[in-house]
Amino acid sequence: METAANIVTLWPRWMESAGEMLRMKALVRTRCCGCGTLMRADLDDIVARHGPGYSLVDKLERCRMVECISSTFYLASRTYGGRWTTLLRDPRLVAAFEELPPVRTARG
């Protein structure tokens, strides 16, 4: 029987790099594992800081919510109303983020 650790995730070509996501006008969000905040990620900013070849897969950033010191991970969708894909493939990261607090947005 295959486990999640044995399955290799195949990413669509548009998810390969921040530059390609920007070119395709993909939607990117960050989700905090501590406070649950879901925020828009600015691909122009990411590409300016890291270059167009930078991959968001398995990348963590510090939460930008005031008083939160937890890590965020990236999610991407090709279009509004589309399926959101969590950009994690490392089994250790996937396991670490299995139990998350409820999503928090500006609406509550």
Side-chain angles (χ1 to χ4, degrees):
M1 180 171 153
E2 290 193 34
T3 65
N6 295 334
I7 297 172
V8 175
T9 303
L10 299 175
W11 302 100
R13 184 170 302 276
W14 63 268
M15 287 185 188
E16 288 180 357
S17 69
E20 186 63 19
M21 289 180 171
L22 181 61
R23 188 181 77 74
M24 297 294 292
K25 298 184 179 359
L27 306 170
V28 179
R29 305 285 185 263
T30 60
R31 177 149 183 220
C32 181
C33 67
C35 67
T37 301
L38 188 64
M39 291 189 173
R40 289 184 182 100
D42 183 353
L43 284 171
D44 288 310
D45 175 60
I46 293 169
V47 170
R49 285 187 291 141
H50 301 288
Y54 185 74
S55 173
L56 299 180
V57 176
D58 290 336
K59 296 296 191 302
L60 305 178
E61 286 199 16
R62 186 170 176 195
C63 182
R64 294 182 182 201
M65 183 61 84
V66 175
E67 295 187 17
C68 184
I69 59 169
S70 296
S71 296
T72 64
F73 56 90
Y74 290 97
L75 302 104
S77 178
R78 180 65 190 93
T79 183
Y80 284 104
R83 185 174 152 266
W84 287 90
T85 301
T86 301
L87 300 180
L88 296 174
R89 72 171 151 220
D90 182 329
R92 292 171 294 168
L93 289 175
V94 172
F97 294 121
E98 280 181 350
E99 292 187 32
L100 296 169
V103 171
R104 288 180 41 191
T105 64
R107 293 186 179 178

